[in-house]
């Protein structure tokens, strides 16, 4: 399973990249707004700065909600860097735009997906990635992981090439459950990725090794 970090914060992306396990980045308008990036040029420059930090795909979301606006912005975003994946919300115009952009050879990520039906349309439109939002489903007492499992099963049954990019991940256990569900990618906050590393028995065992190593000096 690939690991993407879900942030537009350059320092967090650097830290994740230095861990040596990062495969890409996802952003969205809310994550970009947190970085106080203002104006089209600054937004484009920020996406380029992210692309310069990583080796894998970088999802940059269109702000437009109409078909014409989405394809205009999507083609502009794709010009920033070959790593750019154009993120498009799963709406009627969004599916049309994904079909159009995919036809131009532009990588796309269908986002704000909350049902198998939406995931099916994203795959039929040729989306590179589909982003089911696990955490937001859990927030309303639904089961986000079961949606991931269902999408994976449907895609495998019908041979869709769209990659399942589990998003809206809240914690480390979501990552583990995404592994079981067969997600192709999990896009995570840095804290959730770091949580994979930490175990008290590792710390305890290392402390004893250090003590015993000191006896041999
Ligand atoms: O990539 C989508 C993700 O950023 C949404 O996460 O926590 O706002 O549901 P969240």
């Amino acid at each position: 399973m690939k690991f993407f970090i879900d942030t537009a914060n350059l320092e967090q992306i650097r830290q994740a990249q230095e861990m040596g396990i990062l495969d890409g980045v996802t952003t969205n308008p809310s994550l970009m707004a947190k970085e106080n990036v203002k104006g089209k040029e600054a937004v484009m420059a920020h996406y380029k700065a992210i692309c310069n930090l990583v080796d894998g795909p970088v999802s940059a979301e269109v702000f437009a909600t109409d078909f014409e606006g989405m394809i205009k912005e999507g083609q502009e975003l794709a010009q920033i860097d070959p790593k750019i994946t154009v993120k498009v919300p799963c709406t009627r115009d969004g599916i049309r735009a994904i079909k159009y952009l995919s036809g131009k050879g532009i990588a796309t990520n269908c986002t704000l997906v909350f049902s198998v039906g939406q995931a099916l349309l994203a795959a039929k439109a040729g989306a590179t990635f589909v982003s089911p939002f696990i955490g937001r489903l859990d927030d309303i007492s639904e089961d986000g992981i079961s949606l991931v499992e269902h999408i994976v099963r449907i895609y495998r049954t019908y041979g869709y090439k769209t990659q399942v990019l589990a998003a809206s991940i809240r914690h480390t256990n979501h990552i583990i459950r995404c592994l079981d569900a067969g997600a192709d990618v999990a896009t995570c906050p840095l804290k959730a990725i770091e949580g994979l590393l930490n175990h008290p028995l590792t710390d305890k065992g290392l402390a004893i090794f250090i003590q015993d190593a000191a006896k041999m000096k």
Side-chain angles (χ1 to χ4, degrees):
M1 184 172 79
K2 291 178 187 163
F3 274 151
F4 290 7
I5 187 169
D6 192 36
T7 184
N9 181 277
L10 299 178
E11 182 48 37
Q12 286 189 23
I13 295 169
R14 278 191 202 94
Q15 287 176 33
Q17 179 67 14
E18 281 164 9
M19 288 176 75
I21 46 84
L22 190 63
D23 298 303
V25 180
T26 54
T27 71
N28 63 39
S30 302
L31 294 171
M32 285 291 285
K34 284 179 183 173
E35 302 309 310
N36 293 315
V37 184
K38 293 191 189 310
K40 183 173 177 180
E41 276 190 33
V43 167
M44 299 298 204
H46 195 83
Y47 287 136
K48 184 66 178 178
I50 293 173
C51 290
N52 290 340
L53 288 175
V54 299
D55 302 321
V58 174
S59 283
E61 189 159 342
V62 295
F63 294 172
T65 55
D66 64 300
F67 172 72
E68 296 300 336
M70 285 172 165
I71 62 173
K72 178 176 181 296
E73 284 184 23
Q75 291 171 104
E76 287 172 353
L77 289 169
Q79 291 298 314
I80 295 171
D81 192 287
K83 295 169 194 163
I84 290 288
T85 294
V86 177
K87 215 176 189 185
V88 181
C90 192
T91 61
R92 180 185 293 270
D93 279 34
I95 293 296
R96 278 185 68 200
I98 287 170
K99 181 71 175 179
Y100 179 91
L101 293 168
S102 303
K104 295 273 185 187
I106 293 172
T108 55
N109 178 355
C110 185
T111 189
L112 285 171
V113 168
F114 296 95
S115 73
V116 170
Q118 288 177 321
L120 173 62
L121 293 176
K124 288 184 70 65
T128 310
F129 299 103
V130 67
S131 290
F133 277 30
I134 298 173
R136 295 192 191 184
L137 286 167
D138 289 4
D139 291 346
I140 60 168
S141 307
E142 293 189 24
D143 183 357
I145 293 289
S146 66
L147 173 62
V148 175
E149 288 168 342
H150 198 171
I151 296 170
V152 167
R153 194 165 60 248
I154 297 290
Y155 281 13
R156 283 182 184 157
T157 300
Y158 291 92
Y160 288 121
K161 297 289 181 269
T162 299
Q163 296 178 61
V164 182
L165 192 165
S168 184
I169 283 179
R170 296 277 198 274
H171 47 68
T172 302
N173 192 39
H174 268 161
I175 299 176
I176 302 301
R177 293 186 64 203
C178 283
L179 287 166
D180 292 335
D184 298 290
V185 186
T187 192
C188 325
L190 180 59
K191 194 169 182 309
I193 297 175
E194 289 173 332
L196 293 167
L197 196 59
N198 306 326
H199 198 291
L201 288 180
T202 303
D203 298 340
K204 187 177 175 187
L206 184 59
I208 292 168
F209 286 165
I210 291 168
Q211 281 174 5
D212 290 343
K215 293 171 187 170
M216 293 179 279
K217 284 179 180 172

